[in-house]
Amino acid sequence: MLNIDEIQNGIVIDHIKAGTAVGLMDLLGIKGNRSASVALIQNARSHKSPTGRKDIIKVEGDSSWLNLDVLAYLDPNITVTTIHDGKPVKKEKPQPPRRLVNIVRCRNPRCISSIEEECDQIFELSANGKYRCIYCEQELQVNRD
Ligand SMILES: [Zn+2]
């Protein structure tokens, strides 16, 4: 784990709902990446958050492997700041991707994607802003707490 202020080049994922960053690291692919330098700050003070607390994840170095697509559908308040030479150069809110491919699994045990191991897990953004499994139409349940 890095010191909070150590990032020279990398990204800062900010305004994560307090208590959810650990689960988020799993979805981002951080958990499986053994070479990444990652700092997790839990329960940082936040004026914007209704609870007054937020989590922050910092990733030093190359962050192209991060699965940032998942951020927007998990929590629209999350921001991603790119740090270059110790200074923030870009701040953005990730846009929800139209499709989530092999990021989350369908919870329907009878769905073809649950039965066939070769089957890709694909969810598509529907008109109401929710993701649905393209095979069985099951709405994606996001565990936010
Ligand atoms: Zn399904």
Side-chain angles (χ1 to χ4, degrees):
M1 290 280 171
L2 294 167
N3 182 298
I4 294 171
D5 301 319
E6 264 177 19
I7 282 206
Q8 286 301 307
N9 293 286
I11 62 162
V12 176
I13 303 167
D14 200 352
H15 302 292
I16 302 165
K17 189 178 166 194
T20 64
V22 172
L24 195 61
M25 286 171 76
D26 195 7
L27 286 170
L28 286 166
I30 291 172
K31 219 176 171 183
N33 188 318
R34 289 166 188 274
S35 59
S37 295
V38 177
L40 169 63
I41 299 116
Q42 291 182 285
N43 292 314
R45 280 183 203 285
S46 168
H47 297 297
K48 275 193 197 172
S49 163
T51 61
R53 298 282 163 182
K54 63 179 180 179
D55 289 353
I56 305 166
I57 297 170
K58 300 190 178 196
V59 179
E60 174 82 37
D62 176 35
S63 57
S64 59
W65 53 273
L66 278 170
N67 202 350
L68 294 175
D69 276 358
V70 300
L71 293 177
Y73 97 86
L74 279 171
D75 188 344
N77 297 316
I78 289 176
T79 61
V80 177
T81 303
T82 305
I83 310 289
H84 190 65
D85 292 334
K87 294 191 180 70
V89 292
K90 191 170 69 171
K91 185 172 178 176
E92 56 194 342
K93 278 185 182 259
Q95 294 302 309
R98 206 174 65 81
R99 276 182 156 209
L100 300 170
V101 180
N102 294 329
I103 293 169
V104 280
R105 295 189 69 86
C106 182
R107 299 265 180 99
N108 176 2
R110 291 182 302 274
C111 178
I112 178 110
S113 70
S114 303
I115 298 161
E116 298 286 336
E117 270 189 34
E118 306 289 299
C119 192
D120 282 333
Q121 302 279 334
I122 303 173
F123 286 82
E124 261 184 10
L125 193 58
S126 60
N128 67 358
K130 310 260 187 191
Y131 285 93
R132 286 183 188 280
C133 174
I134 63 160
Y135 308 103
C136 70
E137 304 261 289
Q138 171 116 331
E139 201 170 277
L140 180 62
Q141 304 291 325
V142 180
N143 190 359
R144 291 171 190 267
D145 297 309

